[in-house]
Amino acid sequence: MACSRDVFIKIDILSGLASDCEVAAYRLKENDGPQGPIDVRALLRLAASACQSSEQLLVVTERDLRMRPLQSLFGFANRRRGVAVVSTARLGDSEDPLLATRRLRNLAAHELGHLKGMRHCRGPQCVMTPVTTSEEIDLRPLKPCGRCPTRAGWIGRMLGAVAAVVIVVLVVAGIDRIASLMASPAPDFPFT
């Protein structure tokens, strides 16, 4: 994986999280530049252009994330670009490095789920459940529940609807054919 060292520093936070896809994790180098919130879309573009690889990317930043119209954002993933971003700015409790690491890994697992095509889930015991506070992150497990909706789910629903219509048409045509056979006079065979 070639990634501009001027912008990103390779980190290892993904062990055990990204077993079924190629993902590289990087920390955004944040020296003496601006310290305010960073635009998520601009960071996604920067990561995609600075890192030339077939691997998916996870970028970690200490700066808060900004993306209109959302008010608060722990992370964001763009499946088409193959890049996810997470921020440590609002994880809270920086005095406990183990807690901060657990929260960061949970956010990473959530955003990697989006890169794999998973959508937000309503299951309470699922990493794909959306959260709004760092305390909610602590309650969320690291694994998906297995019933999470996927981006491809609409295709399945559409195919199911088409199949249902075809079945209804065939049943109606079959009933009509049976009814017409029963209504026609009995055939007159020459041999009886």
Side-chain angles (χ1 to χ4, degrees), residues 8 24-28 43 47 57-61 83-87:
F8 297 103
Y26 290 88
R27 182 173 57 82
L28 179 64
L43 186 54
L57 303 174
L58 175 72
V59 176
V60 178
T61 179
V83 180
V85 177
V86 294
S87 168

Side-chain angles (χ1 to χ4, degrees), residues 12-19 105:
D12 181 27
I13 63 162
L14 299 176
S15 55
L17 293 181
S19 59
R105 287 176 52 81

Side-chain angles (χ1 to χ4, degrees), residues 170-184:
L170 291 174
V171 166
V172 168
I175 290 172
D176 186 47
R177 178 74 176 134
I178 291 170
S180 68
L181 287 174
M182 293 177 78
S184 64

Side-chain angles (χ1 to χ4, degrees), residues 30-183:
E30 303 172 85
N31 298 336
D32 299 327
Q35 297 303 310
I38 189 167
D39 181 69
V40 171
R41 290 185 177 98
L43 186 54
L44 290 171
R45 283 191 301 275
L46 175 67
S49 66
C51 301
Q52 303 300 319
S53 173
S54 60
E55 290 179 309
Q56 293 180 320
L57 303 174
L58 175 72
V59 176
V60 178
T61 179
E62 294 173 0
R63 293 170 61 188
D64 207 358
L65 301 176
R66 180 185 70 221
M67 186 173 78
R68 291 189 179 130
L70 301 174
Q71 297 297 320
S72 61
L73 200 59
F74 285 110
F76 186 79
N78 183 310
R79 188 169 181 214
R80 186 178 54 80
R81 290 186 188 267
V83 180
V85 177
V86 294
S87 168
T88 61
R90 294 184 310 107
L91 291 185
D93 205 359
S94 60
E95 301 298 315
D96 185 352
L98 257 45
L99 180 61
T101 300
R102 273 197 314 271
R103 288 176 176 171
L104 177 59
R105 287 176 52 81
N106 191 289
L107 290 178
H110 178 89
E111 297 307 330
L112 291 176
H114 285 310
L115 288 183
K116 294 176 195 172
M118 288 187 259
R119 298 175 67 189
H120 285 149
C121 185
R122 293 185 182 165
Q125 291 301 307
C126 183
V127 73
M128 296 311 295
T129 302
V131 295
T132 56
T133 67
S134 54
E135 290 76 20
E136 289 174 335
I137 295 171
D138 299 336
L139 301 174
R140 190 170 68 177
L142 273 176
K143 303 275 184 202
C145 66
R147 296 181 311 269
C148 305
T150 62
R151 298 257 181 242
W154 70 271
I155 293 172
R157 288 191 299 274
M158 200 63 153
L159 290 175
V162 168
V165 168
V166 168
I167 290 170
V168 167
V169 168
L170 291 174
V171 166
V172 168
I175 290 172
D176 186 47
R177 178 74 176 134
I178 291 170
S180 68
L181 287 174
M182 293 177 78

